[in-house]
Amino acid sequence: MPRLTVAQALVTFLARQYSERDGARRRLIPACFGIFGHGNVAGIGEALAGPAGAELPYHLCRTEQGMVHTAAAYARMTDRLSTLACTTSIGPGATNLVTGAAGATVNRLPVLLLPGDIFATRVANPVLQELEDPRSYEVSVTDALRPVSRYWDRINRPEQLPAALLAAMRVLTDPVETGAVTLALPQDVQAEAYDWPAELFAERVWHVPRPRPDSSAVARAARAVTAARRPLVVAGGGVIYSGACAALRRFAEEHGVPVAETQAGTGALPYGHPLALGAVGVTGTTAANEIAAGADLVIGVGTRYSDFTTASGTLFGDDARFVNVNITGFDAAKLSGVQVVGDARESLAALDAACAGWGTEPAYRASVAELTERWAAVADRARHADPEARPSQTAVIGAVNDAAGPRDVVVCAAGSMPGDLHRLWRSADPKSYHVEYGYSCMGYEIPGGIGVRLAAPDREVFVLVGDGSYLMLPSELATAVAEGVKLVVVLVDNQGFASIGRLSESVGAQRLGTAYVDRAGGRLPVDLGANAASLGADLIRVTTTAQLRAALATARAAERTTVVHVETDPFEAGPDGGAWWDVPVAEVSTTAQARTARAAYEAGRKVRRTHRVAGDLGDPTP
């Protein structure tokens, strides 16, 4: 029986875990990111530096939140079949994990968090950075990770470690339950030695299942589909994670059903496919949203139906029914839909076979083509601008899309850019579009880009980040440089929070707190490009669209991380898809702007639908 510390046993175990799906095996936890302090340096730090760490490479990041974003992006890029471990000390190191953990869990992405904790023996309490709670000595700051974790445990004795490790791996590899997993590790327990059973360290393969749907559920769904005249598929991230893009394409082509995509589902059908409507919802295209409004059946595949997808319950018509294909019953049950619970690839194949011989009318397919063509003309005008003018944000997106190869990846997150990207980006590959919009977390972009590039080193990665998001986590540029992870970072400088500025104006808040100005209203003497260069990145400054296009070509060909700094006009908005979003407006205000906004808000609320009519057409037997 090997005698190891708890931390050494943990590291040895993690290095020997594998996932498998469809016969392909890969490391489940191929590396560990971390920042060390007194709560983990003598335990996990010692283990990673010693023989136990030889199989688990360590990477230094600059922020705890950033390392979780990197792990989540890595997991998304690998279809949730692999992720990274993240270790921190106690105190602020542990609480800094919370935002990243929430983002991972919201987006159904596995990440493994290993924060240090206070002494299990309590002999030295209170220790540095300990939160003393008069209700119980058992409470520590790592408890803040409980509500944002799908599995949480504190290892107070070495004997507890094996069961906790197995439970953690189960959740990480379960597509139904996955999200952030936290193992809180008291610092004295990390360093404690124990005689471990040798079988704990044998290679272990976690088989990721493809559960097939219930045949009666498929039959019910097929009855609803074949009775529809104007069906629409809404493809979410589950299509891509399950590798169901080919199955979706077969279903759409065989039956003439158009496909609209959520942020996470973008690329499920390639741009230019005759049945691809593109983005749907608040950040959607006019084509997708018009078809959605008239749809009598919505087939949601791998989507959780966020408020952006449903336009806060106003997008789909009164007579719309729903068939929901999802790996989780929780999501499949939404909007009173017919529930087809199972793997997206397997479920689409079964539904395709059950609908054999049925298809939509040619006139319906023609309307899809006409609306798509009409939107493409609008998008083309937004994507291309005067080459000698200062580029708009939409022109920046067009330039980056043109510079990227078909397998290159764009990474973005919060602000107005994801909305413009969703409508305007033209994906040729299901992995070419990587936008974190479930949690819409500012600061995700650069660490997310690192995770994407680590998971797919053969793809170029273009990180699109606004100045507001950039200032949240610019330090991870230093991580990219130090680790030799080459990124092309397009830093869009519009002197403030453009997205919230426009939203603020629309609800009568008059852009309060959304511009980067001093107390006198003057422009701040902040040079974001110089900041990026100080962190080790190469810098190219551009002022026109033509210069931007040339700079992108240079940056793509470079071997080092390059930041392209471009100023845009924050008041020039991109084309809108016409959907409504529920953001409450002050019911009483002294400003005419707010009163007008409130009237529009009330009008929007009146068309909200609950969609409580069952999608099931009933028992077919007399």
Side-chain angles (χ1 to χ4, degrees):
M1 300 179 73
R3 186 168 180 80
L4 302 170
T5 68
V6 167
Q8 291 163 359
L10 167 70
V11 169
T12 302
F13 174 89
L14 293 179
R16 298 174 186 177
Q17 305 305 297
Y18 293 82
S19 69
E20 178 276 330
R21 189 176 71 178
D22 299 336
R25 192 175 89 152
R26 66 172 72 206
R27 285 280 296 276
L28 178 58
I29 314 286
C32 180
F33 272 74
I35 295 178
F36 294 117
H38 67 287
N40 66 341
V41 66
I44 293 180
E46 187 280 336
L48 289 170
E55 300 175 75
L56 190 70
Y58 163 74
H59 302 278
L60 171 65
C61 64
R62 272 67 191 172
T63 62
E64 293 88 357
Q65 181 188 144
M67 73 169 90
V68 187
H69 293 328
T70 295
Y74 189 98
R76 176 173 169 177
M77 203 64 190
T78 59
D79 291 331
R80 307 191 294 196
L81 298 172
S82 187
T83 188
L84 305 173
C86 303
T87 181
T88 73
S89 185
I90 73 171
T95 53
N96 283 347
L97 295 171
V98 173
T99 297
T105 296
V106 164
N107 288 297
R108 281 55 162 183
L109 295 170
V111 296
L112 177 60
L113 311 181
L114 305 171
D117 212 328
I118 57 177
F119 282 66
T121 57
R122 304 177 185 169
V123 295
N125 291 16
V127 298
L128 178 65
Q129 300 178 329
E130 178 176 350
L131 173 74
E132 292 188 275
D133 190 322
R135 295 169 299 177
S136 172
Y137 281 119
E138 176 64 15
V139 175
S140 83
V141 298
T142 59
D143 288 276
L145 286 157
R146 286 180 184 262
V148 295
S149 298
R150 295 295 288 171
Y151 177 81
W152 185 99
D153 204 353
R154 180 179 284 126
I155 313 303
N156 285 310
R157 291 293 307 141
E159 295 92 333
Q160 297 171 350
L161 183 67
L165 286 174
L166 295 175
M169 298 305 107
R170 176 191 64 80
V171 174
L172 289 174
T173 56
D174 185 341
V176 176
E177 296 292 331
T178 198
V181 167
T182 299
L183 296 180
L185 300 162
Q187 53 188 305
D188 54 342
V189 176
Q190 287 183 48
E192 187 174 344
Y194 186 75
D195 294 319
W196 304 94
E199 58 267 25
L200 179 65
F201 307 117
E203 286 190 1
R204 190 181 301 267
V205 179
W206 298 85
H207 301 280
V208 180
R210 287 193 178 278
R212 290 177 170 82
D214 178 68
S215 59
S216 60
V218 173
R220 288 191 293 271
R223 291 201 302 274
V225 171
T226 55
R229 298 178 63 243
R230 303 179 308 279
L232 169 69
V233 168
V234 173
V239 173
I240 296 173
Y241 300 147
S242 76
C245 295
L248 174 64
R249 184 169 186 160
R250 282 194 299 271
F251 178 84
E253 291 174 349
E254 181 68 23
H255 307 292
V257 181
V259 176
E261 299 166 333
T262 69
Q263 285 277 8
T266 298
L269 272 190
Y271 174 80
H273 189 282
L275 291 166
L277 286 163
V280 70
V282 176
T283 56
T285 71
T286 54
N289 288 345
E290 186 169 334
I291 292 294
D296 57 359
L297 181 75
V298 178
I299 307 167
V301 185
T303 177
R304 63 190 186 94
Y305 287 117
S306 76
D307 64 337
F308 260 55
T309 300
T310 67
S312 300
T314 65
L315 183 61
F316 306 112
D318 290 323
D319 65 340
R321 293 174 182 267
F322 295 83
V323 167
N324 298 326
V325 176
N326 207 290
I327 194 76
T328 75
F330 177 79
D331 288 320
K334 291 176 179 177
L335 300 173
S336 303
V338 177
Q339 301 174 47
V340 181
V341 179
D343 174 75
R345 193 186 74 179
E346 298 298 319
S347 299
L348 280 170
L351 186 59
D352 183 21
C355 296
W358 170 85
T360 59
E361 296 294 329
Y364 181 58
R365 305 184 197 195
S367 69
V368 170
E370 180 185 349
L371 289 170
T372 303
E373 185 177 355
R374 191 183 305 166
W375 171 258
V378 173
D380 281 338
R381 288 193 293 272
R383 286 162 48 92
H384 298 96
D386 180 354
E388 299 308 319
R390 181 168 69 164
S392 63
Q393 183 168 276
T394 59
V396 171
I397 290 170
V400 174
N401 205 169
D402 291 344
R407 296 187 70 258
D408 294 345
V409 186
V410 64
V411 178
C412 192
S416 61
M417 203 125 50
D420 286 338
L421 273 166
H422 197 201
R423 296 186 188 99
L424 301 177
W425 191 264
R426 295 172 174 177
S427 296
D429 180 275
K431 288 296 182 183
S432 68
Y433 185 89
H434 186 112
V435 174
E436 192 289 292
Y437 214 54
Y439 205 48
S440 187
C441 186
M442 297 176 70
Y444 175 92
E445 295 89 342
I446 293 171
I450 294 171
V452 169
R453 190 69 197 247
L454 286 173
D458 60 331
R459 295 175 184 253
E460 291 292 330
V461 177
F462 290 83
V463 173
L464 271 171
V465 58
D467 46 5
S469 269
Y470 175 81
L471 283 170
M472 293 283 180
L473 284 175
S475 54
E476 294 310 314
L477 266 180
T479 301
V481 172
E483 295 290 334
V485 179
K486 186 266 176 110
L487 305 173
V488 177
V489 179
V490 182
L491 175 50
V492 179
D493 191 342
N494 49 40
Q495 289 297 300
F497 301 107
S499 171
I500 297 303
R502 285 197 287 273
L503 180 62
S504 170
E505 198 168 47
S506 74
V507 299
Q510 302 171 320
R511 291 185 176 260
L512 176 67
T514 61
Y516 288 154
V517 295
D518 60 25
R519 298 303 300 178
R523 178 169 174 163
L524 287 180
V526 174
D527 189 336
L528 299 184
N531 174 262
S534 75
L535 293 171
D538 292 343
L539 174 66
I540 305 175
R541 297 183 190 269
V542 301
T543 58
T544 69
T545 302
Q547 291 172 356
L548 172 62
R549 290 179 174 273
L552 290 170
T554 299
R556 189 182 188 281
E559 295 183 356
R560 300 184 71 254
T561 290
T562 301
V563 173
V564 179
H565 180 263
V566 53
E567 290 194 12
T568 61
D569 183 352
F571 298 99
E572 186 173 347
D576 186 71
W580 183 73
W581 185 36
D582 190 345
V583 178
V585 181
E587 193 168 1
V588 177
S589 177
T590 59
T591 69
Q593 188 178 29
R595 292 195 296 272
T596 300
R598 179 68 190 193
Y601 176 70
E602 294 290 353
R605 289 204 303 178
K606 288 179 181 177
V607 298
R608 191 197 311 275
R609 289 98 173 179
T610 58
H611 298 298
R612 290 178 182 156
V613 176
D616 193 346
L617 297 180
D619 193 332
T621 59

